[in-house]
Amino acid sequence: MKYETIIIGGGLSGLLSGISLAERGHKVAIISAGQSALHFSSGSFELFDSAENPLQGIASLSEEHPYRKIGLEAVEHYADAVKDIFARAGVKCSGDKSRNHYRITPIGMIKSAWLTLDDYATFDSAEELPWRRVALVNFEGYIDFYPKFLESCFAKRGVDCETFTLTLKEFEHLRESATEMRATNIARVMTGDILSKIAQELKGRIGDAEALFMPAVFGMFDDEAVTMLRSMVRVPLYFIPTMPASVPGVRTQIQLKNYFQKLGGVYLLGDNVTEGVVEGGRLKSILTANHGDMEFEADNFVLATGSFFSHGIIASQEHIYEPIFGLDVAADAHRSEWYNQDLYAHQPYMGYGVTTDEQLRCKIGGESVANLYAVGSVLASQNAIVEGTGGGVAITTALYVADKIINA
């Protein structure tokens, strides 16, 4: 099978690269092993969390950081461009590249972010919230939501919080097992008449609350349930992220995938790339687990397999490596250097990943592979947790590489 571009990995980076190419008429295929980090997403994307103005903070990063490789102008450009792509895919979010906002985490912490899905409340200050009295709702038997932590979050900022629990007979079959009473299973029930029933119960319970908060268990495939419930409740309704799996994160993945396919892209789910054929400094073709000796050929390839979490980078007892092509990886040679025994100290392995040239082309033996690019968390010299750059690197490098391929 021959394509203009094949993308290995169907998460945020892979989908955005594919969409950007497909919107301009490219024949693109995405090969995806399955779940991506979006299934565990908070519903927010960070550009750079360690500064009020992300763009100013990015200037302080090392020259090897993916942001610095693509350039600050490119980061700024793609940070704007992605909001239009999200909108065309039906993903509703808000945020400003030049100023972080704040949002509430599942355990009641306040964290900064660049873009946040419209399901959630956002505000300008970490110390002062825009309400004086709120209502917090949970569902009986749902254990991946933590009202006590959230109550404490509101109380510390001078907000009165009344908490109550709804008991719905529609959840009885789920409550029979705690393993079934999960966000994604609940979301499948949250359709039709049950939304009206929930709204009716809420109207009689929220009193004089200025805002209402509920767990983010609505809208698995689109945001229709979110929109409907909000229209039936008389006060602003916001959702709080839950522990994984993330319903809004799954929805985002589905919306991006559906849009990619609508554009004519081919999405091969449940398959793994096993090896590739490199000839004359170019990747000629790849083989996958499900297609045996049938080769996939393309003019260009994009590696969007992620880091350790999704096995885009592997750590054995002896070494750290990229498992498909044996690409050059930036990592310390000795295992004792990979980590710090102090759990809260800097962990070197967090910055390990594939090394690239300035155009994000991968290397083998120090030489660039002319048509193989890397995007997202598989790239070396970033620390998404410490820097708060995970979503931003995934997005900006994906769109940057798509433009490189189009303009080649």
Side-chain angles (χ1 to χ4, degrees), residues 29 165 245 298 317 377:
T165 300
Q317 289 294 322
S377 58

Side-chain angles (χ1 to χ4, degrees), residues 158-405:
V159 180
D160 292 331
C161 178
E162 180 181 359
T163 301
F164 56 91
T165 300
L166 295 183
T167 302
L168 301 171
K169 66 179 181 61
E170 288 85 354
F171 293 165
E172 287 180 0
H173 67 291
L174 298 178
R175 282 195 293 268
E176 291 175 2
S177 170
T179 60
E180 293 300 314
M181 193 68 176
R182 300 297 186 189
T184 50
N185 291 335
I186 295 172
R188 291 184 173 90
V189 180
M190 293 295 193
T191 59
D193 292 341
I194 193 173
L195 297 176
S196 299
K197 181 177 180 179
I198 291 171
Q200 199 62 37
E201 290 207 32
L202 293 175
K203 288 177 184 178
R205 303 284 296 273
I206 58 179
D208 60 352
E210 300 169 31
L212 175 63
F213 290 84
M214 301 182 72
V217 294
F218 297 82
M220 173 76 84
F221 304 106
D222 55 44
D223 64 354
E224 182 179 352
V226 171
T227 302
M228 287 182 62
L229 189 57
R230 280 177 163 168
S231 71
M232 293 185 284
V233 178
R234 60 178 174 80
V235 298
L237 169 60
Y238 303 104
F239 300 90
I240 300 286
T242 68
M243 300 304 285
S246 162
V247 169
V250 173
R251 182 206 312 155
T252 299
Q253 169 115 12
I254 290 171
Q255 289 174 311
L256 292 174
K257 177 177 72 71
N258 289 347
Y259 182 51
F260 172 69
Q261 291 176 312
K262 181 180 178 181
L263 293 168
V266 175
Y267 194 89
L268 301 174
L269 181 62
D271 202 357
N272 291 283
V273 177
T274 56
E275 61 181 294
V277 177
V278 177
E279 293 180 355
R282 297 179 64 84
L283 180 58
K284 176 186 174 186
S285 62
I286 57 175
L287 297 172
T288 75
N290 290 354
H291 290 81
D293 58 0
M294 180 186 296
E295 292 187 339
F296 287 79
E297 297 182 346
D299 299 320
N300 293 283
F301 297 82
V302 179
L303 187 70
T305 48
S307 187
F308 297 102
F309 176 76
S310 53
H311 308 296
I313 301 294
I314 301 291
S316 70
Q317 289 294 322
E318 294 79 26
H319 67 293
I320 290 174
Y321 62 98
E322 187 280 316
I324 301 175
F325 305 108
L327 301 174
D328 293 354
V329 171
D332 292 303
H334 301 291
R335 185 180 181 84
S336 61
E337 299 174 297
W338 299 352
Y339 59 91
N340 192 311
Q341 291 187 356
D342 180 352
L343 181 63
Y344 298 100
H346 168 70
Q347 299 296 331
Y349 73 87
M350 295 297 296
Y352 296 167
V354 167
T355 60
T356 68
D357 63 18
E358 295 304 311
Q359 298 183 56
L360 300 188
R361 295 181 300 185
C362 303
K363 295 181 179 181
I364 298 177
E367 298 295 325
S368 296
V369 182
N371 64 336
L372 174 60
Y373 300 85
V375 297
S377 58
V378 75
L379 291 164
S381 303
Q382 58 176 311
N383 189 325
I385 293 177
V386 172
E387 300 160 354
T389 55
V393 168
I395 289 166
T396 57
T397 59
L399 299 182
Y400 171 86
V401 161
D403 276 355
K404 283 292 179 185
I405 290 171

